[in-house]
Amino acid sequence: MRIIPAIDIIDGKCVRLSKGDYNTKKIYNENPLEVAKEFEDNGIQYLHLVDLDGAKSKQIINHKILESIASKTNLKIDFGGGLKSDKDVEIAFECGTSQITGGSIAANNPTIFEQWISKYGSQKIILGADCNNRKIATNGWLKKSDLDVLDFIKSYEEKGIQYVICTDIAKDGMLQGTSNELYKEILKKTDVNLIASGGVSSMEDLLLLKEMGCEGAILGKAIYEGNISLKELQELC
C-alpha cells in the first residue's frame, strides 16, 4: 500500500481543516516546499497536494507551489483542487504533477472529465469521490449532491477510471479512524485502485487499510499533530 502524505494549501501555506470546514483552518507551516522536502528526506515517495483556494474558486490558484515542489523534489505528486477546465489541467501537468484528481468536475461536468480520461489516460486521472453520508460533495465540499458514492465510482469505472480517492468528509481531520465499512463495500463491489483518505489517526489505521486491500492511504493531520512519526511511515514504506 502506498503511503501518501497530504499538503493542503491556503494562501500559499500548509494548513489542515476539520471536516472540510474552512473556518477550522490551522496553519502548520508557512513553506509547503519545506514540508515536502522533509517528507522526501524520510523516504516518502508520494504526495497528495490540494489547492484549497482553487477548490473554492473557478480555477487553479496555487500552481506555483506545485511547480516549486515538483522541480525541487522527486516526489510523485497527485494534484487536485480547482481543476475545472482544460487549461487548468494543462497548467497542472506543465507544473510537474504526475496525476490530477477531479472531483467536482466529475460530478458537475462529466463530459469534460471523460475527455480528460480519454486525452491523458486512466493512469494520469484520479476520480475524487468525496462524500458526506454517502452523498458526493463538491466545490471544496461546500455543496452536496444527490449522487451516492458507490454509484458514482461504478459509473466512472465503466468509463475507464482505475484510481479513486475516497474521502469521508465526516472523518476528515478528526483523527478518529477511517470509514472502513465504506471502503470494504467499495473494494467488494468494484475493481478500482482505492486510495483511502480521511480520519487516519494511528499506525493501526494504516495497517487495517493495508489489510483491507486499499492501494494507497492519504494522511495529513496525524503527521502534523505527531500521532504518527515520519520514522514510523518510513519503516512501513
Side-chain angles (χ1 to χ4, degrees), residues 172-224:
D172 192 65
M174 301 308 292
L175 298 176
Q176 294 175 356
T178 58
S179 287
N180 294 342
E181 294 308 311
L182 175 60
Y183 297 147
K184 286 176 184 175
E185 183 182 359
I186 293 169
L187 288 165
K188 182 179 179 181
K189 296 181 178 178
T190 74
D191 291 317
V192 299
N193 294 301
L194 181 63
I195 301 163
S197 171
V200 170
S201 63
S202 65
M203 290 298 291
E204 183 179 3
D205 287 333
L206 290 175
L207 293 171
L208 283 170
L209 293 172
K210 183 179 180 181
E211 186 179 311
M212 202 183 299
C214 291
E215 190 273 337
I218 293 171
L219 65 163
K221 191 173 279 189
I223 298 173
Y224 299 119

Side-chain angles (χ1 to χ4, degrees), residues 10-204:
I10 292 179
D11 297 330
K13 300 167 185 174
C14 176
V15 307
R16 296 304 292 174
L17 309 180
S18 296
K19 297 185 180 180
D21 183 352
Y22 283 72
N23 293 320
T24 65
K25 177 182 73 176
K26 182 175 181 179
I27 299 170
Y28 285 96
N29 196 304
E30 303 269 338
N31 186 348
L33 175 60
E34 192 176 276
V35 178
K37 283 184 172 180
E38 186 178 7
F39 290 156
E40 185 177 41
D41 289 345
N42 282 275
I44 298 295
Q45 299 179 51
Y46 301 95
L47 178 66
H48 178 63
L49 186 62
V50 183
D51 182 356
L52 288 177
D53 293 313
K56 281 207 306 185
S57 76
K58 295 181 179 179
Q59 61 187 13
I60 189 173
I61 301 291
N62 288 298
H63 57 280
K64 291 295 183 185
I65 291 171
L66 164 62
E67 187 174 41
S68 174
I69 294 173
S71 63
K72 294 174 182 175
T73 74
N74 291 311
L75 293 169
K76 296 178 181 71
I77 303 168
D78 76 79
F79 181 82
L83 301 176
K84 297 182 174 70
S85 69
D86 294 343
K87 184 63 178 174
D88 288 332
V89 175
E90 287 172 16
I91 290 170
F93 281 122
E94 285 169 3
C95 288
T97 194
S98 298
Q99 296 174 300
I100 63 103
T101 301
S104 298
I105 189 74
N108 297 332
N109 200 328
T111 301
I112 289 180
F113 190 66
E114 287 168 38
Q115 288 172 354
W116 296 351
I117 299 169
S118 176
K119 180 176 180 179
Y120 296 101
S122 56
Q123 294 291 322
K124 294 278 191 181
I125 308 296
I126 302 172
L127 176 66
D130 304 332
C131 63
N132 204 342
N133 294 320
R134 294 187 64 100
K135 299 300 183 184
I136 293 294
T138 62
N139 300 83
W141 300 349
L142 299 174
K143 294 183 180 180
K144 188 175 175 181
S145 74
D146 292 322
L147 296 168
D148 177 78
V149 62
L150 183 59
D151 292 340
F152 184 63
I153 293 170
K154 280 183 171 180
S155 70
Y156 274 107
E157 184 181 21
E158 292 172 0
K159 294 164 186 170
I161 275 291
Q162 296 182 32
Y163 291 89
V164 175
I165 294 174
C166 183
T167 306
D168 185 339
I169 294 166
K171 299 279 189 179
D172 192 65
M174 301 308 292
L175 298 176
Q176 294 175 356
T178 58
S179 287
N180 294 342
E181 294 308 311
L182 175 60
Y183 297 147
K184 286 176 184 175
E185 183 182 359
I186 293 169
L187 288 165
K188 182 179 179 181
K189 296 181 178 178
T190 74
D191 291 317
V192 299
N193 294 301
L194 181 63
I195 301 163
S197 171
V200 170
S201 63
S202 65
M203 290 298 291
E204 183 179 3

